[in-house]
């Protein structure tokens, strides 16, 4: 018996990294998972989950494409939707000194996935989440939006990525208030360096071993997500939940309402 038996979850960007770990952990807790990615490798992730006794359906879909989103959510909705994990995201250097053509191309690439994609997926799924008595929306954000615990937060060459994640704060805060009467909770996980293909892609060749040894793992963040969902309908909502290198990866005490998004510690 798993803690999520009988539930249905959507995980976006699930072909690798965090999304794959989220899908596998949610499935291991008994939920059926519907996963999507722009990469065809998402099919292998679903196959692996089924080989391990889980229930999974995969779709090659782009979260920034409305038709893709509507078709994907409609397929999942046949089983009802209890959990939505908005994980799909893109990262790249976007210097403020880029020329106009590059700037606008970067804007479309980053914002369409990281921000508009979250809006599309959530708008499509919310009517179905409302029908659940235990709905959860979890945005995958970044520690950039929380008070820093080390140097290097909000690096100067990632303005569009940072802006897209700061923008999620508006969704988290507003939707949590709107959906609370319907027992739908809305939170965000905001993690630092985690060992994913996205992070490894920042390095030319293999990253230094001492850096990798310090990183969090996708499985740790997935465990945090499971703990968050398992708080149940009476659990926290509207909160940015941080995870930092060198700090235990665990749910913190629930924040006071006016500190939920800012992450200013209680006390």
């Amino acid at each position: 018996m798993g803690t999520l038996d009988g539930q249905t979850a959507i995980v976006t960007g699930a072909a690798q990294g965090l999304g794959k770990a989220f899908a596998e952990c949610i499935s291991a807790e008994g939920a059926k998972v519907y996963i999507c990615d722009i990469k065809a490798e998402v099919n292998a992730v679903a196959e692996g989950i089924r080989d391990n006794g889980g229930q999974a359906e995969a779709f090659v879909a782009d979260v920034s494409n409305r038709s893709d989103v509507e078709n994907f959510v409609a397929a999942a909705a046949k089983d009802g939707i209890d959990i939505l994990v908005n994980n799909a995201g893109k990262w790249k250097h976007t210097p403020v000194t880029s020329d106009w053509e590059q700037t606008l191309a970067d804007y479309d690439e980053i914002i369409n996935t990281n921000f508009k994609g979250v809006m599309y997926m959530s708008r499509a799924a919310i009517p179905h989440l409302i029908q659940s008595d235990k709905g959860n929306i979890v945005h995958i954000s970044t520690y950039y939006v929380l008070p820093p615990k080390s140097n290097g937060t909000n690096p100067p060459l990632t303005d569009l990525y940072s802006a897209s994640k700061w923008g999620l704060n508006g969704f988290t805060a507003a939707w949590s208030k709107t959906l609370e009467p319907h027992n739908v909770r809305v939170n965000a996980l905001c993690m630092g360096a985690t060992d994913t293909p996205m992070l490894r892609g920042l390095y030319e060749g293999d990253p230094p071993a001492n850096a990798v040894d310090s990183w969090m793992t996708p499985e740790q963040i997935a465990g945090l997500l499971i703990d968050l969902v398992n708080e149940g309908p009476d659990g926290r909502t509207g909160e940015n939940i941080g995870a930092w290198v060198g700090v235990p990866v665990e749910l913190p005490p629930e924040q006071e309402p006016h500190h939920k998004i800012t992450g200013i510690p209680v006390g």
Side-chain angles (χ1 to χ4, degrees):
M1 296 288 289
T3 61
L4 302 178
D5 282 350
Q7 296 194 43
T8 299
I10 287 175
V11 182
T12 66
Q16 60 184 11
L18 281 168
K20 180 175 182 287
F22 292 144
E24 290 173 344
C25 282
I26 290 170
S27 172
E29 290 298 328
K32 181 172 184 177
V33 292
Y34 282 81
I35 60 178
C36 74
D37 202 292
I38 58 174
K39 297 179 179 178
E41 289 84 350
V42 71
N43 292 305
V45 174
E47 183 177 354
I49 289 172
R50 292 192 295 267
D51 288 345
N52 285 320
Q55 301 179 77
E57 298 291 340
F59 292 74
V60 176
D62 183 348
V63 298
S64 70
N65 182 293
R66 179 178 168 184
S67 294
D68 281 7
V69 168
E70 290 179 334
N71 291 334
F72 174 53
V73 171
K78 290 183 288 188
D79 289 310
I81 301 172
D82 303 290
I83 301 165
L84 168 61
V85 183
N86 283 312
N87 170 72
K90 292 187 175 182
W91 186 102
K92 67 184 298 187
H93 281 131
T94 56
V96 71
T97 52
S98 296
D99 63 40
W100 273 112
E101 287 188 5
Q102 186 64 55
T103 294
L104 294 175
D106 289 342
Y107 179 91
D108 286 343
E109 181 178 357
I110 299 295
I111 300 301
N112 283 356
T113 297
N114 295 10
F115 188 72
K116 187 166 75 173
V118 170
M119 182 191 71
Y120 277 173
M121 285 299 308
S122 301
R123 285 288 205 275
I126 281 170
H128 306 288
L129 287 161
I130 287 174
Q131 295 178 26
S132 171
D133 61 354
K134 49 187 176 295
N136 277 276
I137 298 174
V138 183
H139 303 316
I140 305 308
S141 187
T142 173
Y143 75 140
Y144 292 2
V145 305
L146 295 175
K149 294 192 176 185
S150 64
N151 293 329
T153 300
N154 277 312
L157 300 181
T158 59
D159 64 339
L160 295 177
Y161 175 84
S162 297
S164 72
K165 296 303 185 180
W166 279 92
L168 295 183
N169 290 350
F171 289 158
T172 302
W175 295 352
S176 65
K177 295 178 177 68
T178 303
L179 296 174
E180 190 169 15
H182 301 284
N183 288 328
V184 178
R185 301 161 58 214
V186 185
N187 294 286
L189 298 183
C190 307
M191 73 288 301
T194 305
D195 191 356
T196 64
M198 180 184 289
L199 180 56
R200 286 177 175 264
L202 305 183
Y203 294 84
E204 294 182 3
D206 293 329
N210 62 336
V212 175
D213 290 343
S214 73
W215 292 346
M216 295 174 287
T217 67
E219 291 72 24
Q220 286 178 299
I221 305 303
L224 187 63
L225 182 142
I226 297 297
D227 290 342
L228 173 63
V229 171
N230 282 341
E231 286 187 327
D234 295 327
R236 75 192 71 199
T237 191
E239 186 166 326
N240 279 333
I241 297 160
W244 292 268
V245 166
V247 177
V249 181
E250 59 189 20
L251 284 179
E254 184 174 352
Q255 297 285 342
E256 296 293 335
H258 55 295
H259 288 163
K260 284 180 177 286
I261 291 295
T262 65
I264 298 172
V266 172

